[in-house]
Amino acid sequence: MKILIINGPNLNLLGRREPDIYGSRTFEDFFGELKVAFPGVDLEYFQSNHEGALIDKLHEAGFSARGIVLNAGAYTHTSIALADAIGAITAPVVEVHISNVHRREAFRQHSYLSAKCVGSIVGLGLEGYRLAITYFITHYNTRF
Ligand code: CA2
């Protein structure tokens, strides 16, 4: 059972800058914890600061992965191309945001991606990724 986590721009800085908003853990450290917590899952992590690379990854994994957990960072609020990519693939996508985007600037309160995703988890910190994986295990535990 393969579940892919995709993080978008600037999320490689997690744990290194702005800990008041995004926490003080690196994603690499958290990902190690996820692999221990879900030993039966083939978990993969991909991060890119480039919109096209994120789209390529969705195309590459989007017809075979059991589910994709996507934090597209600021592209969430700008990218029709990413929305189209999510709409084009067969794997279900859960949108995750570490911060509560609805409590922040107005421009963060619209997502081009939400309507293409099976659901969204916002504001629960890194816990959102764990919840999304649990959702896929519970609801998509059969072969396509
Ligand atoms: O809350 C989220 O997860 C966001 O997707 C994070 C994006 C932001 O543009 C979205 O509106 C909400 C920004 C990621 C920036 O990550 C940083 C992490 C550490 C230090 C600086 C930036």
Side-chain angles (χ1 to χ4, degrees):
M1 175 176 195
K2 181 177 181 131
I3 295 177
L4 171 65
I5 298 172
I6 301 178
N7 274 343
N10 297 307
L11 287 158
N12 53 309
L13 298 178
L14 277 180
R16 299 181 179 101
R17 303 288 302 273
E18 302 194 57
D20 46 323
I21 303 175
Y22 300 114
S24 53
R25 291 189 81 179
T26 66
F27 200 85
E28 290 73 13
D29 177 50
F30 176 65
F31 185 65
E33 188 181 293
L34 287 179
K35 292 212 318 196
V36 172
F38 298 103
V41 177
D42 177 13
L43 270 182
E44 183 186 340
Y45 173 53
F46 177 80
Q47 189 277 330
S48 178
N49 295 320
H50 303 278
E51 188 175 17
L54 297 169
I55 292 167
D56 286 345
K57 193 67 184 176
L58 286 168
H59 291 174
E60 179 196 310
F63 298 92
S64 56
R66 195 64 56 89
I68 297 175
V69 184
L70 173 64
N71 183 347
Y75 288 139
T76 303
H77 318 298
T78 63
S79 180
I80 296 168
L82 266 175
D84 285 348
I86 297 167
I89 62 177
T90 53
V93 177
V94 169
E95 175 185 19
V96 167
H97 296 288
I98 296 165
S99 64
N100 183 349
V101 285
H102 303 294
R103 297 178 72 174
R104 300 183 65 191
E105 302 96 321
F107 66 83
R108 294 188 204 275
Q109 291 170 29
H110 175 259
S111 166
Y112 280 103
L113 313 185
S114 298
K116 305 288 186 180
C117 293
V118 291
S120 304
I121 302 171
V122 309
L124 303 185
L126 294 177
E127 193 59 26
Y129 294 87
R130 191 192 307 270
L131 292 169
I133 293 166
T134 301
Y135 172 79
F136 285 133
I137 292 169
T138 308
H139 290 84
Y140 292 90
N141 204 8
T142 53
R143 296 222 163 269
F144 289 126

